[in-house]
């Protein structure tokens, strides 16, 4: 009988895309930043793009991956 095990969103994102949208808590855990930083990124439009589902903020894993790739290429291009 399969059991439900909580998975680390960073591990899931590194492998294959998660089968669900990510929450602000997932993003904070993934990047190792406080939750308030995720909300500041949202207000300043500097972090990964998110969207609202009713009153809930969610992130598409594909958009988060694209954001990381873009940031990495910007860092590598500057150095």
């Amino acid at each position: 009988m399969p059991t439900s095990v909580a998975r680390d969103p960073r591990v899931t994102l590194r492998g294959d895309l998660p089968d669900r949208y990510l929450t602000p808590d997932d993003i904070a855990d993934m990047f190792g930043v406080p939750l308030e930083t995720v909300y500041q990124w949202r207000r300043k439009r500097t972090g990964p793009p998110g969207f609202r589902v009713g009153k809930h903020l969610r992130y598409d894993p594909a958009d988060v991956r694209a954001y990381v790739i873009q940031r990495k290429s910007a860092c590598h291009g500057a150095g």
Side-chain angles (χ1 to χ4, degrees):
M1 184 176 277
T3 59
S4 177
V5 176
R7 293 183 54 128
D8 182 345
R10 292 173 291 185
V11 173
T12 305
L13 192 60
R14 283 188 203 120
D16 200 11
L17 292 175
D19 58 353
R20 64 178 180 80
Y21 292 117
L22 301 170
T23 66
D25 286 319
D26 293 331
I27 299 299
D29 290 343
M30 210 177 286
F31 290 104
V33 299
L35 183 59
E36 183 57 33
T37 298
V38 175
Y39 290 118
Q40 286 177 11
W41 288 345
R42 173 87 171 152
R43 282 191 297 273
K44 296 177 182 179
R45 300 179 191 266
T46 58
F51 61 95
R52 292 247 174 231
V53 178
K55 66 178 183 176
H56 303 284
L57 180 58
R58 294 295 180 258
Y59 295 87
D60 187 324
D63 291 341
V64 174
R65 179 176 281 172
Y67 168 78
V68 169
I69 290 169
Q70 183 264 332
R71 296 293 302 159
K72 286 172 69 173
S73 65
C75 289
H76 289 248

